Amino acid sequence: MPYANLRIAFPEADYLLAKNDFEQLKSRFPFVINLTPAEKSNYLRLGGKSMMFVRKSLLFYADNPALQTGYVSLSEWTNDWETMQRLEQLLLQINVLQEALQDTVTALKMENMSSALSFYHILKNAAQQNVPGTDNILSQLKEMMPGVHRKKTKPAKVKTENP
């Protein structure tokens, strides 16, 4: 892995500052909603072509006052469109940050697992040399060893006699 032996400094104080920054950022979006899975599935599949349709419709609606109606407010539609565009730009930036954080967490998990496996091998060698206290630690870690699954004991079959 190209990022082996990561040397990252992210102390608790920096974590708390970042957490506070996220809380402040979330407070800037009091209007966000949470769609249920059913609501999400009921929405149209809105791809790039669909958004082009919406953009063109808004432009034609704005350019043709004679076609404007009282139940479709141009100012509200324009606000919805502009807000969506700004939020999409922020979402792109958040997705870049999310991917970078996820990759870093994954690399750190791999680094931590590598260290744990190294310790486990040291522990196994120490147990073979009868170092006091290693057997108990080894047995506890062995149960949690990744990729090792405990065999489940199946209940013994009871033979039934045929009359």
Side-chain angles (χ1 to χ4, degrees):
M1 166 173 129
Y3 302 108
N5 299 315
L6 291 172
R7 299 290 183 255
I8 296 176
F10 188 59
E12 182 73 13
D14 288 346
Y15 162 74
L16 292 173
L17 287 172
K19 186 176 176 187
N20 186 47
D21 290 343
F22 277 111
E23 292 302 319
Q24 287 180 0
L25 182 61
K26 286 193 305 189
S27 73
R28 293 191 181 274
F29 304 101
F31 51 84
V32 297
I33 61 172
N34 185 29
L35 298 175
T36 66
E39 290 171 323
K40 289 177 187 178
S41 68
N42 287 335
Y43 279 92
L44 298 172
R45 300 292 175 229
L46 301 173
K49 197 173 183 181
S50 300
M51 289 297 95
M52 184 62 79
F53 169 78
V54 172
R55 187 174 76 75
K56 283 270 192 181
S57 296
L58 176 57
L59 289 174
F60 287 133
Y61 192 73
D63 289 344
N64 294 284
L67 298 175
Q68 295 177 14
T69 65
Y71 57 87
V72 177
S73 166
L74 177 60
S75 63
E76 288 180 16
W77 188 1
T78 302
N79 179 62
D80 288 349
W81 177 258
E82 291 171 352
T83 299
M84 180 199 69
Q85 288 182 311
R86 287 189 294 269
L87 289 174
E88 279 186 330
Q89 290 302 311
L90 287 175
L91 187 58
L92 289 172
Q93 293 175 23
I94 289 170
N95 287 340
V96 168
L97 176 61
Q98 189 271 338
E99 182 179 357
L101 287 174
Q102 185 62 55
D103 289 349
T104 304
V105 167
T106 298
L108 285 167
K109 283 181 178 181
M110 291 168 55
E111 186 74 12
N112 279 288
M113 181 54 73
S114 177
S115 295
L117 289 172
S118 293
F119 170 69
Y120 184 77
H121 292 298
I122 291 167
L123 186 63
K124 279 176 60 175
N125 288 334
Q128 288 176 348
Q129 301 298 319
N130 293 322
V131 175
T134 55
D135 290 336
N136 183 33
I137 298 170
L138 187 61
S139 68
Q140 288 183 48
L141 290 179
K142 189 173 187 176
E143 291 179 16
M144 297 180 280
M145 185 73 166
V148 176
H149 305 285
R150 282 194 270 170
K151 294 180 182 177
K152 294 181 181 178
T153 56
K154 295 181 182 179
K157 292 184 180 180
V158 177
K159 290 187 177 183
T160 57
E161 296 180 24
N162 291 336

